[in-house]
Amino acid sequence: MCPHHPDATGACECRKPAPGMYVTAAGELGLDLARSYLIGNRWNDIAAAAELGARGILVPASGTPPEEIARAEAEMAVAGTLGEAAGRIVGLTARAAER
Ligand SMILES: [Zn+2]
């Protein structure tokens, strides 16, 4: 987690939507960001996907603002459940492997 707070420490590279923690995780875990998905229930959870070359899927929850859902529909993807998001990823991965 990001140990900073903008009001106390100023901006940092690891607080969402900044990509810092994803880049660190990719380095430490050997992740291929181009084959990675960011999934969350708020826009800030998935916003870094474009900058990272990854893909984002919003799974709205009761507190997800409608404008964030609309933005994700336009710019990334929206799934009804985490299971649906996982199913899409598996489907996309299977289709990519067939090519
Ligand atoms: Zn931070």
Side-chain angles (χ1 to χ4, degrees):
M1 62 168 247
C2 167
H4 313 108
H5 191 280
D7 294 343
T9 61
C12 66
E13 281 302 308
C14 57
R15 190 172 190 86
K16 292 183 295 187
M21 285 200 293
Y22 302 106
V23 172
T24 299
E28 290 179 0
L29 303 172
L31 304 176
D32 180 354
L33 289 171
R35 296 175 54 221
S36 297
Y37 292 80
L38 278 56
I39 298 176
N41 67 333
R42 297 297 305 267
W43 176 257
N44 275 354
D45 297 330
I46 64 172
E51 185 175 344
L52 294 165
R55 288 182 248 192
I57 302 176
L58 186 77
V59 180
S62 59
T64 306
E67 60 271 20
E68 293 186 13
I69 298 171
R71 186 173 183 185
E73 285 172 338
E75 299 180 32
M76 293 198 199
V78 177
T81 65
L82 185 57
E84 183 186 324
R88 279 195 210 178
I89 293 167
V90 171
L92 289 170
T93 302
R95 281 199 295 276
E98 289 170 6
R99 289 185 202 131

